[in-house]
Amino acid sequence: MLTLLLVVLAAQPTAAPTPAPAMDPAYVAYTTELEQGIHAGDGSILDARVDVDRLLERATRGTSTPKAFHDGFSKGVRRSGLQLGKQLVATREDDSSFRLLRLRMEGGAPHALYRVMTSQSGVNYLDLELARNAEGQVVIVDFYPYITGEPFSETLRRMYLQAAKEAGYNLVDKLMGKEQDFLKNAPKLQEMQRQVQEKQYAEVVKTFDALPESLRKNKPFLLLRLSAAAQLDEAQYQKSIQDFEQAYPNDPSLDLISIDGHMMRKDYATVMKMIDRLDQRVKDPYLQYLRGSVMLDKGDRKAALGHFKAAIAGEPTLTLAHWVLIGLSLQDKQFKDTARYLDGIERDTSVEIGDLTALEEYAGFVKSPEYKAWKKKRASRMEAAPAVP
């Protein structure tokens, strides 16, 4: 009977999968233009497209302040500008990157996810929520930096509420629950931020523990406590992670922030688990590079090599992964691989290999027959390449 049923089911025609709606070409064009603009050092291509009116409307929804205060706050935001693009450009270095990972529909709105990477700050992700304004121009109505764990409209809302309180407007009784508690305890957030900057990590945890229960489940406070606890004992750190996970299950900011703490503790299994969970959300080939780095630190060279190669397969222009493979091949004296990896980095990226004979780490390779063959092959390739005008 079961066999007959399976045969019948197998014979049924299957409905064709519903194709995803085509993305508006204007969004495709702008998100690509933005990536190129940041790399060219032009932050205005982002900053000029932030729809401050929509952002403020979202941030101040449900509040009741005098019109004069609201207009003054809004004017101040417009005058100072959010300058996110300017900040991205200012922190760029030679090995920085700002890469569009994908453009998708989420919650009925187009979203663009970018990877932001610098040698000083590591990796972050920036999710832009897009729309069209009345003139049909693509604009940014909100943005979510993964490292902060919240949309900027929520950050702006706290700034608005705090500014209203400092201006003498009593909003406490007009707000509900967590926001009411936040406004009463806003100075505590500033105190914790100061304590983190001054590396008073035990004091951060002490301040956190004295907060009302609702704020001990508030993301900005939890993130500050987690970053401080990472510098303290294992029990404090694990407790901070558990509390965060309980309050915000599967939140990507937790994985992004706590990777370093687990690496310091050589907890490789947990680090890989967090990278896997983050990758399910962002689908970023760079995370293969990160996995390779974890395995290299663990001493599993074979697994590390596999991850570095997978990173390049997923994103051929990922220079970091190319350099690591080159370095490992030199250490292992696998000079045939060295020649192949050098070809790869020049083929796939903008890197141009200079004179290797003066570099100590390449000394063994330079003396090898593989170097002579590579140099001859490269010279022929360079001669055959069309001249750059």
Side-chain angles (χ1 to χ4, degrees):
M1 183 64 184
L2 178 58
T3 304
L4 177 60
L5 178 59
L6 291 174
V7 170
V8 171
L9 289 174
Q12 301 303 310
T14 57
T18 304
M23 185 62 70
D24 185 332
Y27 295 125
V28 177
Y30 172 69
T31 51
T32 303
E33 182 186 358
L34 175 58
E35 179 181 9
Q36 295 169 348
I38 295 297
H39 278 292
D42 183 7
S44 67
I45 199 168
L46 190 158
D47 296 335
R49 296 293 188 96
V50 176
D51 192 325
V52 177
D53 289 335
R54 291 200 208 185
L55 190 57
L56 282 166
E57 189 280 327
R58 185 175 290 188
T60 61
R61 192 175 296 156
T63 61
S64 55
T65 55
K67 185 176 184 300
F69 171 80
H70 181 86
D71 291 348
F73 182 90
S74 302
K75 183 178 180 181
V77 172
R78 291 188 184 90
R79 184 175 59 247
S80 61
L82 300 178
Q83 300 188 345
L84 176 60
K86 185 177 180 180
Q87 292 172 28
L88 289 170
V89 168
T91 56
R92 288 188 72 247
E93 303 155 327
D94 290 341
D95 57 352
S96 298
S97 72
F98 181 78
R99 183 178 178 85
L100 175 65
L101 294 177
R102 68 184 186 280
L103 183 60
R104 73 200 187 282
M105 296 298 294
E106 184 174 306
H111 285 252
L113 180 65
Y114 291 87
R115 180 181 69 228
V116 184
M117 193 163 60
T118 67
S119 60
Q120 290 186 346
S121 304
V123 66
N124 188 16
Y125 296 95
L126 181 64
D127 196 319
L128 306 181
E129 181 182 341
L130 307 174
R132 282 182 181 261
N133 61 16
E135 290 75 37
Q137 186 182 46
V138 174
V139 292
I140 300 165
V141 297
D142 208 345
F143 52 92
Y144 183 107
Y146 274 38
I147 203 73
T148 67
E150 66 179 5
F152 183 74
S153 57
E154 293 186 18
T155 305
L156 187 61
R157 182 178 181 84
R158 286 199 305 276
M159 294 166 60
Y160 182 83
L161 295 176
Q162 194 164 348
K165 180 184 178 183
E166 291 171 357
Y169 299 111
N170 182 19
L171 299 182
V172 172
D173 296 335
K174 301 174 184 178
L175 298 172
M176 302 291 289
K178 289 183 180 180
E179 285 194 327
Q180 191 178 74
D181 287 340
F182 168 77
L183 205 53
K184 291 178 181 177
N185 293 272
K188 295 293 184 182
L189 182 64
Q190 295 174 325
E191 183 180 355
M192 289 176 68
Q193 290 168 336
R194 176 188 60 78
Q195 289 167 339
V196 168
Q197 291 173 352
E198 295 176 0
K199 299 183 179 180
Q200 299 176 4
Y201 302 121
E203 291 301 311
V204 174
V205 175
K206 185 177 178 181
T207 303
F208 176 88
D209 289 342
L211 292 170
E213 183 180 356
S214 66
L215 291 186
R216 293 201 302 273
K217 297 179 181 177
N218 187 283
K219 188 178 289 185
F221 290 97
L222 282 165
L223 287 173
L224 284 169
R225 182 254 200 130
L226 191 150
S227 64
Q231 308 300 321
L232 302 174
D233 61 79
E234 184 68 18
Q236 288 270 22
Y237 187 54
Q238 291 300 330
K239 180 69 165 59
S240 69
I241 290 175
Q242 290 168 9
D243 289 348
F244 191 105
E245 286 183 323
Q246 189 172 14
Y248 299 95
N250 301 316
D251 190 280
S253 60
L254 173 63
D255 298 324
L256 194 60
I257 290 168
S258 57
I259 284 172
D260 285 346
H262 287 297
M263 274 298 292
M264 286 191 299
R265 290 161 169 77
K266 306 293 184 182
D267 186 357
Y268 301 114
T270 301
V271 173
M272 294 296 277
K273 177 183 175 182
M274 291 193 158
I275 294 174
D276 290 345
R277 194 161 62 182
L278 179 62
D279 205 8
Q280 287 176 5
R281 181 178 289 263
V282 299
K283 298 177 177 61
D284 182 9
Y286 168 79
L287 294 179
Q288 287 285 14
Y289 168 83
L290 203 56
R291 291 184 182 98
S293 300
V294 174
M295 290 295 98
L296 202 57
D297 194 74
K298 183 182 178 182
D300 191 340
R301 209 175 184 87
K302 182 177 179 181
L305 284 168
H307 287 301
F308 292 133
K309 291 175 182 178
I312 293 172
E315 186 178 326
T317 58
L318 193 57
T319 310
L320 284 170
H322 284 279
W323 282 126
V324 173
L325 286 177
I326 291 168
L328 291 175
S329 69
L330 289 170
Q331 290 177 11
D332 296 340
K333 297 182 171 28
Q334 297 295 317
F335 297 136
K336 185 176 180 181
D337 288 339
T338 303
R340 182 160 53 87
Y341 296 148
L342 288 170
D343 285 342
I345 197 171
E346 283 199 316
R347 179 189 66 241
D348 297 334
T349 76
S350 59
V351 170
E352 185 172 333
I353 303 299
D355 181 12
L356 300 179
T357 59
L359 300 176
E360 183 179 350
E361 55 266 44
Y362 288 87
F365 175 59
V366 167
K367 295 175 183 176
S368 71
E370 287 85 359
Y371 170 74
K372 295 179 178 61
W374 171 81
K375 187 177 180 182
K376 181 178 179 181
K377 179 182 174 184
R378 182 176 184 271
S380 299
R381 187 173 68 248
M382 299 296 282
E383 287 177 7
V388 177

